[in-house]
Amino acid sequence: MDAYKVLIKPSALKELEAVPSKDRERVIRRIGRLAADPRPAGCEKLAGGERYRVRQEVYRVVYLIDDAVREVAIFKIGHRRDVYRD
């Protein structure tokens, strides 16, 4: 099975830069693993759309999966208390 291409929106990249450096590396590794398995154990489909999320300690990565073109689009990264607010 081919790996998925992981795309990160510029706004999500900015949010990733705001994560403290000690946690940032773990979040980056978690995002990298989405290329091999976009629906890993522990991921959750969010209500109200086709969004998914994975947890990395107190941080959440919210993303969309496009199986037709094999892409994962990351559009929100943040602390659990803030990430679901629009």
Side-chain angles (χ1 to χ4, degrees), residues 36-84:
D37 184 9
R39 294 175 184 92
C43 85
E44 186 173 310
K45 189 171 189 294
L46 300 176
E50 294 298 314
R51 300 181 304 169
Y52 290 83
R53 71 109 170 105
V54 290
R55 298 184 299 181
Q56 180 59 48
E57 296 174 7
V58 297
Y59 294 94
R60 304 296 184 260
V61 177
V62 181
Y63 60 98
L64 296 169
I65 303 170
D66 188 345
D67 290 313
V69 292
R70 301 189 66 76
E71 287 184 347
V72 173
I74 312 258
F75 67 92
K76 191 117 176 112
I77 300 169
H79 194 278
R80 65 187 177 107
R81 72 174 170 251
D82 301 323
V83 79
Y84 302 112

Side-chain angles (χ1 to χ4, degrees), residues 6-55:
V6 177
L7 306 171
I8 302 177
K9 286 182 56 175
S11 59
L13 195 56
K14 203 174 228 186
E15 293 166 346
L16 180 61
E17 291 171 359
V19 173
S21 61
K22 66 183 178 118
D23 298 318
R24 188 178 313 135
E25 289 301 317
R26 284 180 249 177
V27 172
I28 290 170
R29 281 196 302 271
R30 183 73 169 176
I31 290 170
R33 289 193 300 261
L34 291 175
D37 184 9
R39 294 175 184 92
C43 85
E44 186 173 310
K45 189 171 189 294
L46 300 176
E50 294 298 314
R51 300 181 304 169
Y52 290 83
R53 71 109 170 105
V54 290
R55 298 184 299 181

